[in-house]
Amino acid sequence: MRAFVIAVFAFLYLPIALVVLFSFNAGHHASEFTGFSVQWYGKALANPFLVEALKNSLFIATTSASLAALCGTAAALGLARVSVRTRAVFDALLGAAIVVPGVVIGISTLVALVQLFGVVNPFLASIWPDDQPPRLALGYGSIIAAHGLFSMALVTMIVGTRLGSLDRNLVEASSDLYATPLTTFRSIVLPQILPAVVAGFLLAFTFSFDDFIVAFFVAGAQTTLPIYVFASIRRGVTPEINAIATIVLVASVLLVVLAQWQLRQRKPSN
Amino acid sequence: MHGSRLRKNLLTAMLLGPATAWLVVFLVLPFIAIAVFSVGERAPEGGYQAAFTFAQYANLPARATAFWNTMVLAPVGALACLLVAYPVAYYLALKAPQRWRLILLALVVIPFWTSLLMRTYAWMYVLGGRGIPALLAFVGIEDVRLINTPGAVLLGIVYGYLPLMILPIYVSLERLDRRLLEASADLGATPISTFLGVTLKLSLPGVMTGFSLVMILLLGEYLIPTLLGGGKVFFIGNALVDLFLQSRNWPFGSAIAITLVLVSVVVLIAANRISTRVSGARRVDLI
């Protein structure tokens, strides 16, 4: 059995290791390693389209993860205060946001937004005083919102679980000692849920940064890193993509390790 | 008294407001939109025009290959994942040395949280002309085509979703009361019948969770069939991308999307039913 397990771990990591190895290959050929070089990293970072896509992805991931962390945490706190029935409805919607396939989320958001823009844009044009009315279009906003939907649901669940294991006695003791609700929140509840919020943020960031399929539908004229990589892969495998893949893999691993570490943080001792 | 109650409700509404708005605008309304689209007609220039017809649904067999591939490769892929995942989860939960357990578990989880695009790309690289085929040519086996086959897609599926299968099985095995295993052995059961009667049985909730999670995600898969199937192994996800972004037949695409969601719901409900019947135990929650 041990041999089998070792084989499975090899299976999990060998392809990744090969990509990382060949990203440092001096030669152009993917089948033989002809010497160590970081030239492909240089080439990748000198590619303006790639750098633009990377910047877009960083901006979108940061914004959508922040919004998701904020709204998700608020929702988790709010859900602790509502009736069982309201909660059940909300939980079902959150579950749907997580379970519905990305393709379907992407498509339905595209379809709904295009319809919405079709109504809003002529209206804006008719009421706008000059000839340059603002036009709503697919782009940053639609990617951020579509990514944030899944992430917000995830944050709500993670923070909700943490709230569930919160020591009620501490909260009661705090209000018995005449702390205002805000003080209780700041000094008792927040420190305990903060690791869950941060972990949720980091996971949301990773998801948004890695997502291809949702963005593929709602990106409009914008390009994100996965969209760029996908397009380049279809044009042919190059050592430059190996370099990008390595950067992205290392970045996601770091983020996830950070998220796990945050989740495992002990409660601050008083 | 009344005032403070009002204030409490106001606070609750403020806390839930943004999330509710988000869910309504980007989940509920879009779903209603594609439901409406699915009974409409394709406008001559592409897109949608209003109608009330079930012609799109009647036309579903036109994409039968995509449905067939998905409905075959999703369960087969999930089963293949399970067969590989179970021994690993078993080893991690019951056999691995204590101090190695968390590290090994982290090693299982890390690939899952890294980009599926990059991991699938890695296999494109390995299976493609310059990877294993080049290696085989070196030892004299020429003209082996690995990529762009259903086999490559299956491999990609197992690779992509293996961690998601290992994790819930590990969780249910880890919770297993070890005294039951001792009791079973003390009562004269052979290792095999202990495994079948106790271990396997008690891990079934985890197995069901993993299986249904992988199945659900595979139903909407796009990247793996595209990159490793090379346009020869079409999934429902590929049909959707094609219909919405290339042929711009939005109503037909919507009908397929609605069908996909319905199939996912049926799979989820079936998995829930089976897991409660099989074990009477709660499913293992991952979050």
Side-chain angles (χ1 to χ4, degrees), chain A residues 4 8, chain B residues 76-88 162 165 169 211:
Chain A
F4 183 79
V8 171
Chain B
V76 170
L79 191 66
C81 269
L82 175 63
L83 292 178
V84 180
Y86 201 95
V88 178
L162 188 61
M165 186 68 90
I169 302 175
F211 196 86

Side-chain angles (χ1 to χ4, degrees), chain B:
Chain B
M1 193 59 201
H2 187 69
S4 91
R5 189 155 164 212
L6 193 71
R7 217 165 55 204
K8 263 192 172 158
N9 286 339
L10 193 68
L11 179 63
T12 310
M14 275 167 61
L15 287 171
L16 285 175
T20 313
W22 209 330
L23 287 167
V24 169
V25 175
F26 286 94
L27 185 71
V28 180
L29 289 182
F31 191 76
I32 294 172
I34 53 164
V36 171
F37 269 57
S38 73
V39 294
E41 283 170 349
R42 180 180 191 270
E45 72 280 9
Y48 160 80
Q49 83 188 14
F52 186 76
T53 164
F54 289 98
Q56 310 299 343
Y57 288 95
N59 200 21
L60 285 178
R63 294 287 171 158
T65 318
F67 275 98
W68 174 252
N69 282 339
T70 312
M71 298 317 278
V72 171
L73 275 171
V76 170
L79 191 66
C81 269
L82 175 63
L83 292 178
V84 180
Y86 201 95
V88 178
Y90 184 87
Y91 180 82
L92 289 185
L94 299 170
K95 293 270 182 268
Q98 191 70 44
R99 65 205 159 97
W100 279 95
R101 199 163 288 167
L102 275 180
I103 297 168
L104 290 175
L105 197 62
L107 284 176
V108 166
V109 179
I110 285 171
F112 180 67
W113 279 111
T114 58
S115 163
L116 182 64
L117 174 61
M118 302 305 176
R119 285 185 293 137
T120 309
Y121 163 72
W123 274 107
M124 245 182 111
Y125 192 81
V126 173
L127 296 178
R130 290 160 167 178
I132 295 178
L135 208 67
L136 289 177
F138 187 72
V139 294
I141 309 169
E142 301 279 350
D143 290 331
V144 184
R145 208 175 56 119
L146 295 174
I147 201 157
N148 301 349
T149 59
V153 175
L154 188 63
L155 181 84
I157 288 172
V158 174
Y159 187 67
Y161 293 104
L162 188 61
L164 198 60
M165 186 68 90
I166 294 179
L167 217 56
I169 302 175
Y170 169 84
V171 171
S172 65
L173 282 172
E174 223 262 322
R175 282 182 191 163
L176 186 133
D177 188 344
R178 271 142 232 254
R179 284 173 303 184
L180 291 175
L181 302 180
E182 281 163 30
S184 174
D186 288 348
L187 293 169
T190 61
I192 290 174
S193 61
T194 299
F195 174 76
L196 292 177
V198 182
T199 317
L200 184 62
K201 203 157 180 231
L202 290 174
S203 66
L204 281 180
V207 171
M208 285 310 301
T209 302
F211 196 86
S212 52
L213 274 175
V214 173
M215 265 285 285
I216 297 280
L217 287 175
L218 282 178
L219 291 177
E221 187 54 52
Y222 170 77
L223 275 175
I224 297 174
T226 305
L227 296 182
L228 297 176
K232 293 190 177 65
V233 188
F234 266 95
F235 268 38
I236 301 175
N238 302 76
L240 286 172
V241 170
D242 180 43
L243 283 169
F244 275 87
L245 302 182
Q246 266 93 49
S247 36
R248 292 186 45 79
N249 190 346
W250 290 19
F252 188 34
S254 301
I256 292 183
I258 295 278
T259 312
L260 175 58
V261 171
L262 290 180
V263 171
S264 312
V265 170
V266 169
V267 169
L268 261 185
I269 292 174
N272 244 323
R273 281 273 170 81
I274 295 172
S275 75
T276 36
R277 180 161 318 158
V278 161
S279 58
R282 207 165 56 85
R283 281 153 55 85
V284 178
D285 292 319
L286 272 180
I287 302 168

